């Protein structure tokens, strides 16, 4: 099991976590990875499935927030225009977005032969970060088969973190970054609800990281301009409409800022949010359909949950990642090692 920030004495915020402290605490959500490590090639694919059914037929309500747009993601324009997601969400390296889109389209057509014939085309959603320093990104190593592997491996249990899947070659604040996740549990109308976040952390200038207790870890690396990225996927089962969900998703940026990042010019910082508590039937025949929405006077609880879960997910990505040697012998230290040295 991956080393979590809490195991090293780092706690973010005041809200309780879910049982797994992962995005998979949101009922129905599944996560799968395919990891590629072969010499100078260190990359992969991570898949997030909002539910286990046919997403094209039963879309989830969704929104995205472009915090800083130095990125090459696919599908975000339609997500914000229509307010839905209709494929799994894939995360990968910058130059593999096209391959992932094609794989998602093939999977959707196989399950829905009417796509592009008698009904609409499909909007594949893919996010990326540049893992070039630790991965031979020009090798274009990610294949459609790797995508299918990540989708097939998706499950609702504990989520592997650190240098796995899309996170294999990522760097964060000069330390080894990668995949991290966290969740928060809330009570609304006497019922338990969850909000979970999964991040692909590849951002932050060396020396800028600030822990919740005020310490500033030093990876002893050369300070350069911030030119990484972070992809954030937020999931919740709280019923909301698109506008409310966009407001909550925007608060992921506060979680990044709490750690000392300022969303630099060269950093692609993007959040995608969805709720399993509201869906849209692709084959809806009625002129209207009902939707349950959150009482907006209660939304501050979700703002806090999004902020805390994002902050902790990033720290989990750092703590779970061991010291790493990548392309051409390039090294990245482990935050967990630094923390142990301080104790």
């Amino acid at each position: 099991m991956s080393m979590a920030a809490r195991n090293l004495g780092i706690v973010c915020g005041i809200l309780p976590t879910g049982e797994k402290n992962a995005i998979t605490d949101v009922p129905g959500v599944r996560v799968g990875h395919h990891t590629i490590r072969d010499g100078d090639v260190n990359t992969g694919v991570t898949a997030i499935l909002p539910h286990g059914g046919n997403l094209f037929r039963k879309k989830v309500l969704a929104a995205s927030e472009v915090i800083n747009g130095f990125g090459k993601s696919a599908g975000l324009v339609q997500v914000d225009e229509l307010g839905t997601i209709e494929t799994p969400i894939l995360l990968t390296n910058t130059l593999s977005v096209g391959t992932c889109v094609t794989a998602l389209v093939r999977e959707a057509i196989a399950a829905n032969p009417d796509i592009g014939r008698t009904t609409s085309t499909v909007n594949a959603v893919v996010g990326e970060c540049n893992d070039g320093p630790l991965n031979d990104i020009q090798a274009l190593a990610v294949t459609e088969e790797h995508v299918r592997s990540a989708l097939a491996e998706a499950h609702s249990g504990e989520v592997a973190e650190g240098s796995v899947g899309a996170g294999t070659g990522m760097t964060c604040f000069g330390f080894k970054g990668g995949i991290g996740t966290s969740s928060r549990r809330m009570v609304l109308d006497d019922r338990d609800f969850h909000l979970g976040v999964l991040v692909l952390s590849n951002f932050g200038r060396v020396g800028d990281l600030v822990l919740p207790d005020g310490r500033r870890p030093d990876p002893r690396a050369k300070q350069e301009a911030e030119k990484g990225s972070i992809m954030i996927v937020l999931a919740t089962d709280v019923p909301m409409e698109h506008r409310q969900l966009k407001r909550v998703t925007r608060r992921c940026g506060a979680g990044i800022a709490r750690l000392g990042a300022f969303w630099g010019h060269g950093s692609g910082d993007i959040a995608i949010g969805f709720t399993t508590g509201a869906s849209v039937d692709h084959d809806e025949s009625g002129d209207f359909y009902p939707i349950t929405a959150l009482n907006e006077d209660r939304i501050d609880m979700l703002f806090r949950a999004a902020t805390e879960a994002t902050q902790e997910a990033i720290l989990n990505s750092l703590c779970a990642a061991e010291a790493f040697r990548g392309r051409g012998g390039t090294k990245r230290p482990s935050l967990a090692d630094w923390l142990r040295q301080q104790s």
Side-chain angles (χ1 to χ4, degrees), residues 69-76 93-95 97-98 101 126-130 229 231 266 268 270:
F70 204 125
K72 287 79 178 172
S73 298
L76 301 187
N93 74 66
T94 305
L95 299 187
V97 171
V101 167
V126 182
E128 55 78 29
C129 293
N130 181 0
S229 296
M231 286 299 311
I270 296 170

Side-chain angles (χ1 to χ4, degrees), residues 38-99:
D38 184 10
D40 281 353
V41 175
N42 299 285
T43 192
V45 180
T46 294
I48 301 97
L49 282 64
H51 61 69
N54 188 326
L55 273 161
F56 184 74
R57 301 315 313 183
K58 185 181 179 182
K59 312 174 198 298
V60 293
L61 264 62
S64 72
E65 177 70 13
V66 178
I67 301 165
N68 191 68
F70 204 125
K72 287 79 178 172
S73 298
L76 301 187
V77 172
Q78 184 168 314
V79 169
D80 266 353
E81 184 69 22
L82 302 187
T84 59
I85 283 176
E86 58 188 19
T87 71
I89 301 164
L90 297 183
L91 305 178
T92 190
N93 74 66
T94 305
L95 299 187
S96 296
V97 171
T99 299

Side-chain angles (χ1 to χ4, degrees), residues 56 59 78 86 112 114-122 282:
F56 184 74
K59 312 174 198 298
Q78 184 168 314
E86 58 188 19
N112 306 275
D114 54 338
I115 286 176
R117 302 289 195 190
T118 58
T119 192
S120 62
T121 57
V122 62
H282 181 80

Side-chain angles (χ1 to χ4, degrees), residues 2-5 8 10 161-163 167 170-181 199-204 208-212 217 219 230 259 310-324 332-340:
S2 300
M3 176 62 70
L8 294 165
I10 301 174
E161 299 176 277
S163 299
M170 301 299 171
T171 299
C172 188
F173 289 107
F175 291 96
K176 182 65 185 68
I179 296 293
T181 189
V199 301
L200 177 61
S201 67
N202 190 57
F203 73 106
D208 281 359
L209 175 61
V210 182
L211 300 180
I230 181 170
L259 292 170
T310 300
Q311 181 186 21
E312 185 163 349
I314 294 166
L315 289 170
N316 283 341
S317 77
L318 287 158
C319 291
E322 297 178 351
F324 196 93
R332 293 291 184 268
S334 165
L335 176 62
D337 290 343
W338 185 90
L339 289 167
R340 292 187 190 100

Side-chain angles (χ1 to χ4, degrees), residues 176-237:
K176 182 65 185 68
I179 296 293
T181 189
S182 184
S183 71
R184 294 296 183 269
R185 179 174 55 83
M186 301 158 287
V187 177
L188 295 163
D189 279 349
D190 298 321
R191 293 169 51 199
D192 279 349
F193 290 91
H194 290 84
L195 182 151
V197 166
L198 183 143
V199 301
L200 177 61
S201 67
N202 190 57
F203 73 106
R205 288 202 323 156
V206 171
D208 281 359
L209 175 61
V210 182
L211 300 180
D213 61 10
R215 285 181 293 173
R216 304 181 71 100
D218 179 9
R220 301 194 179 281
K222 179 182 177 183
Q223 189 175 80
E224 299 175 339
E226 183 171 358
K227 53 185 179 183
S229 296
I230 181 170
M231 286 299 311
I232 306 166
V233 179
L234 178 151
T236 185
D237 56 348

